[in-house]
Amino acid sequence: MDTSSPSLHLLLLVLLCLRLDPTGAAAQQKNQFIFNGFKEAKLHLDGNAKILPDGLLQLTNTSKHKIGHAFYSFPISFSDGLSFSTTFVFAMVPEIENISGHGIAFAISPPATDFRTANTNQYLGLLNASDDGLSSNHLLAIELDTIFNPEFGDIDDNHVGIDLNKLSSIAAASVAYYDERVNRSLKLISGKPMQVWIDYREVRNLMDVRIAPLGTQKPNRPLLSKPINLSSIILNSMQVGFSSSTGAIASNHYILGWSFSKTGEAQSLEISKLPSIPKNRKRNWTTGGLSVSLIIVSVLLVFAVTGVVYSLRRKKYEEIHEDWERQYGTHRFSYKDLYRSTNGFKETELLGVGGFGKVYKGIIRSSKQQIAVKKVSHDSKQGMKEFVAEIASIGRLRHRNLVQLLGYCRRRGELLLVYDFMPNGSLDKLLFKKQKPGLNWAQRFRIIKGVASALLYLHEEWEQVVLHRDIKASNVLLDADLNGRLGDFGLARLYDHGANPDTTHVVGTVGYLAPELTRTGKATTSTDVFAFGSFLLEIACGRRPIEPRGTPEALLLVDGVLEKWKSGVVLEASDPNLGGEYSEEEMGLVLKLGLLCSHSSPAARPSMRQVLQYLGGDASMPEVMLDTAGEGSFGVDNKMCYEFPLSCLSSNVMSSSAISVATITNESLLKGGR
Ligand SMILES: *[C@@H]1O[C@H](CO)[C@@H](O)[C@H](O)[C@H]1NC(C)=O
Ligand SMILES: *[C@@H]1O[C@H](CO)[C@@H](O)[C@H](O)[C@H]1NC(C)=O
Ligand SMILES: *[C@@H]1O[C@H](CO)[C@@H](O)[C@H](O)[C@H]1NC(C)=O
Ligand SMILES: *[C@@H]1O[C@H](CO)[C@@H](O)[C@H](O)[C@H]1NC(C)=O
Ligand SMILES: *[C@@H]1O[C@H](CO)[C@@H](O)[C@H](O)[C@H]1NC(C)=O
């Protein structure tokens, strides 16, 4: 029997009306309402929620780590049945295009619920770590979640889920406009208004959720249809409304209109009456970065002042938890889980060893997800605090050419970083593999473009400038489809933070260090571009930037390429293993770009945005730069490198491990140069 047929609805309506006493009419009025805009709406607001002059309900603005709530001022009576129907129009306008935090939820809860003690970030302003999951919550929430939180079993970073008393959804689906003939995915953070319909019919114990772009009909088929018995959740009297939160990254969360009914289908909204969404004023990243660092600095100050002392005894599974870590919302793995997933950090699970520590392969037992666990040993407490703050923001970075950080775990003197496992290992292993098949040119060129776009994202497209500081083939990992993914970003900072202020450490790898970096010790986006230049030459020529090959002239790769370029035979520098099979145009471009990026003057190097334009053929490279470049303008300071002790090179540069990092002090470099 189809319960959604109009005749049955009518019958139910009549039956319900028959049960109502005359005084029930007013109650019924309050059990059903419609707001086409919220100018005159009776709502109870808290947190950052406010009603803007044109009637737009703004749950959160771009303030970070905030919550906002808006609940209908009158309780709704569910004493005559648990069925309800509601529809609303929302929009999420992220501060920075395509990067969001965190989401909106439609919520039903007991009237006295005080959501002000709920957490921000992934808790969506609904619950906190201590009450998540309690049956006494009596909370039903339909979440529109824009962040992937593995600890809540999230399916992705763009889903709608049904939550009962806890944030792990009992049912979830990627957001899509789904109907008989369409199945088109929608992006929650597109900034575009969308309409949601939620219908619960007690007769069938069925919860249906639909979503569609504003202006389209209610889809006939639900995106989510889940049998639920709400009798243990919903009490006789409940409040209905919305909750929303932001995290380290914030979105404006808006509700444009809302209709709710306890009897039959919620009345349709009048789209022409809905308020419009203000244009996103894209803030300059410097101010965004500043406020994030202010938050981080003030949090660190608070904890430096309170001077918490940690004197826990070391036990097998012991970890270090600090309250301030919760703030960042980065997923924490338990040491026990990581220990088990890697078979107790067995040598057989070892993927690589490097300057930062060992990397192990693991499989999370519950989800069968493959992970790579990096054990970083560290003993400076101050450095660790700043570093975890940084890791937390790094965990929010999302780019298809970055190795995704899934979470972390802290122990005494030890930090464990959990990453997506990359089945094809590091690029240098394939690049320098002697036997065929290695990587063909098309694959290499795709990897170059991927890594370039990841660097552009780190440098210019995120809210803070993130310097990678150690770009090289061995830090580029390959996923199952041989896409290049940049790993280990920001890790070099750990050594920066922990550095003794009396000595300047230069972090990076010889051959990729820009000359001004070895002089001043100050990393910039230009020093990253320099390293990227060496990386380009490395891929095109199939050899490392510095290799002791008999003659001193052959030591520096960049010199060899420059010589060839000057004699008009630059293609001769290409990797002999390619057997001449490459696009001459692309090869020429990559070699030339590699030279340009390796220019000794930072001002002459292109930005990553220009690099991408050159690679995409959208702009042509300046000829002049290379023409006027005199002898010795390229690469690291030649003299210094020629006299660099080879024993030092072989330990720092020639290590073929996936994560080798050379930490050299200025002093030792200068000594080598004299
Ligand atoms: C967000 O709203 C709060 C409360 O109304 C206000 O104090 C804050 O300045 C706003 N933040 C931004 C970024 O507009
Ligand atoms: C945001 O994402 C959309 C589609 O995913 C894409 O077309 C657009 O270029 C992206 N914008 C930026 C600034 O990355
Ligand atoms: C968590 O929320 C509950 C219920 O709102 C509240 O009683 C409790 O104090 C909160 N806990 C924290 C740590 O804020
Ligand atoms: C819509 O399509 C996607 C991928 O094409 C699929 O994963 C999803 O299950 C489909 N949704 C429904 C409700 O069928
Ligand atoms: C829902 O559960 C309650 C108690 O758990 C039960 O009494 C009731 O019959 C159930 N409703 C339906 C429609 O199955």
Side-chain angles (χ1 to χ4, degrees), residues 298-308 310 322-324 385:
S298 42
V299 167
L300 290 177
L301 266 179
V302 166
F303 283 95
V305 168
T306 47
V308 188
Y310 308 97
E322 287 173 73
D323 281 346
W324 52 267
K385 274 182 187 171

Side-chain angles (χ1 to χ4, degrees), residues 506 513-521 636-637 640 666 669-670:
V506 176
L513 295 176
E516 79 270 20
L517 179 59
T518 60
R519 276 198 304 272
T520 64
V636 244
D637 188 333
M640 182 176 73
N666 255 352
L669 268 179
L670 291 176

Side-chain angles (χ1 to χ4, degrees), residues 48 50 61-63 283:
N48 271 6
K50 47 186 164 290
N61 55 19
T62 51
S63 286
R283 286 204 316 175

Side-chain angles (χ1 to χ4, degrees), residues 57-105:
L57 170 58
Q58 181 177 38
L59 292 168
T60 62
N61 55 19
T62 51
S63 286
K64 310 200 168 28
H65 303 292
K66 290 286 185 265
I67 52 180
H69 301 104
F71 279 83
Y72 184 52
S73 296
F74 305 99
I76 302 286
S77 166
F78 284 84
S79 53
D80 54 3
L82 304 180
S83 300
F84 70 90
S85 164
T86 188
T87 179
F88 61 91
V89 175
F90 73 93
M92 298 184 185
V93 184
E95 182 181 17
I96 303 148
E97 197 178 335
N98 292 350
I99 310 175
S100 66
H102 255 259
I104 301 176

